[in-house]
Amino acid sequence: MDSKIKIQHLSLAFLLLGMLAFQATSRTIQDASMQERHEEWMARYGKVYEDPQEKEKRLNIFKQNVEYIESSNSAGTKPYKLGINQFADLTNEEFTASRNRFKGHMCPSIERTPSFKYENVTNVPSSVDWRKQGAVTPIKNQGNCGCCWAFSAVAATEGITKLSTGKLISLSEQELVDCDTKGVDQGCEGGLMDDAFKFIIQNNGLTSEANYPYKGVDGTCNANAEANHVATIKGYEDVPANNEQALQKSVASQPISVAIDASGSDFQFYSSGIFTGSCGTELDHGVTAIGYGVSDSTEYWLVKNSWGTEWGEEGYIRMKRNVGAKEGLCGIAMQASYPIA
Ligand SMILES: *[C@@H]1O[C@H](CO)[C@@H](O)[C@H](O)[C@H]1NC(C)=O
């Protein structure tokens, strides 16, 4: 009798031990596979860490991000998918701090230009994609430098240059980063598209990417390259604020610089589909609206980003258009502007 109870106790103990061991093993397997995935991801994106402590820290962030991305995708409640992209070892705070340097906090002090040349545009097709007209250069990558404002202004300038001269020339962001430093714009520390347009006007033009290649760090202005203009603009205008119809007329006419709130995790890991948020309206990123359209009766803006082709739909994002709020999704209709050739 006694010994039977002992045996029962013993087997219960074994059972418990076994369960614990099983749990531990499955956890180890999960950890190991996450470690393996992190290694594969590191190889894919050429990531190298300073020391084992940093690697451990990044692995933990990677794990949390992967778990978030996978649970968001498997829930299937959003019309867009997230992906384990090159930003998967960064916390959302680190990510937004390093890349999104549109000086949105200065908005109240920004004067909006009163004239709007596209006010009376009536030819507003149901869809537009400026890539099809050859007015958009390939996706670029700003890297670890907060000069989104330069990429946005350059893409809009490349667009209007193509429309006015017939030539698509990749233009220099680095010139803006290095040379446009006397006003608001501060290279990798941030800037405004309108101030980039002002610089291009005052400088009598902008040089090409080939003449003044992108380095992704603040540098001293190369005056010789700066003087070699390949594109000029005469002026710029602001799209009337908080008006997606006015923005549509503008985008139907040329690629448009827009400021958005790109601070959310879903924006960081956006991979495909029509992005619907969540996001606020604290403008912190400059991008370029290069078209719009409708997919399965959802209206969207077609937006060119500057985070390489691994992010989003080959570097682009489709963002929901004509949302209830006047500011547009992520504030896209708040501070749009364009250069005039
Ligand atoms: C739009 O049309 C109105 C009325 O005809 C006119 O007063 C205004 O100047 C036009 N705006 C532009 C930008 O052409």
Side-chain angles (χ1 to χ4, degrees), residues 63-73 78 80 82 265-266 269:
K63 179 172 181 278
Q64 281 168 23
N65 284 335
V66 166
E67 283 166 2
Y68 174 72
I69 291 163
E70 292 183 339
S71 73
S72 170
N73 287 345
K78 298 168 181 170
Y80 57 90
L82 305 181
S265 294
D266 282 13
F269 299 120

Side-chain angles (χ1 to χ4, degrees), residues 101-116:
R101 297 279 178 79
F102 172 79
K103 294 199 164 176
H105 56 275
M106 301 178 70
C107 358
S109 65
I110 293 170
E111 290 168 36
R112 304 297 290 168
T113 65
S115 51
F116 176 46

Side-chain angles (χ1 to χ4, degrees), residues 79-285:
Y80 57 90
K81 294 279 184 204
L82 305 181
I84 304 164
N85 60 22
Q86 70 267 43
F87 307 130
D89 71 341
L90 298 176
T91 66
N92 185 243
E93 292 70 29
E94 292 170 327
F95 175 73
T96 50
S98 68
R99 276 164 190 81
N100 301 356
R101 297 279 178 79
F102 172 79
K103 294 199 164 176
H105 56 275
M106 301 178 70
C107 358
S109 65
I110 293 170
E111 290 168 36
R112 304 297 290 168
T113 65
S115 51
F116 176 46
K117 67 185 283 199
Y118 299 128
E119 179 180 12
N120 299 327
V121 163
T122 49
N123 178 21
V124 180
S126 60
S127 75
V128 168
D129 182 347
W130 284 112
R131 292 176 298 189
K132 292 180 182 156
Q133 316 303 319
V136 183
T137 59
I139 289 287
K140 302 184 186 186
N141 195 341
Q142 69 184 79
N144 198 11
C145 164
C147 63
C148 55
W149 57 276
F151 282 85
S152 170
V154 161
T157 306
E158 289 167 346
I160 197 62
T161 303
K162 164 69 185 177
L163 298 184
S164 61
T165 68
K167 282 187 238 160
L168 181 67
I169 309 164
S170 184
L171 301 174
S172 175
E173 293 82 14
Q174 194 66 42
E175 178 181 345
L176 294 172
V177 169
D178 293 351
C179 308
D180 174 18
T181 53
K182 296 192 176 68
V184 173
D185 297 336
Q186 295 301 324
C188 293
E189 283 63 61
L192 296 170
M193 284 78 89
D194 281 3
D195 282 69
F197 297 143
K198 274 183 209 162
F199 171 84
I200 299 169
I201 297 161
Q202 281 159 12
N203 190 52
N204 297 313
L206 189 65
T207 198
S208 65
E209 190 83 70
N211 282 341
Y212 205 144
Y214 188 62
K215 295 204 179 68
V217 287
D218 294 318
T220 45
C221 182
N222 178 339
N224 287 338
E226 185 195 27
N228 185 350
H229 309 137
V230 302
T232 56
I233 57 171
K234 290 201 191 78
Y236 73 92
E237 284 180 354
D238 296 319
V239 179
N242 302 325
N243 183 338
E244 284 194 275
Q245 278 66 50
L247 184 55
Q248 188 180 7
K249 287 178 187 178
S250 308
V251 178
S253 308
Q254 67 178 90
I256 302 291
S257 287
V258 291
I260 56 172
D261 179 342
S263 62
S265 294
D266 282 13
F267 202 92
Q268 180 177 350
F269 299 120
Y270 167 79
S271 133
S272 66
I274 297 183
F275 186 72
T276 52
S278 60
C279 49
T281 56
E282 283 188 36
L283 307 177
D284 67 353
H285 191 42

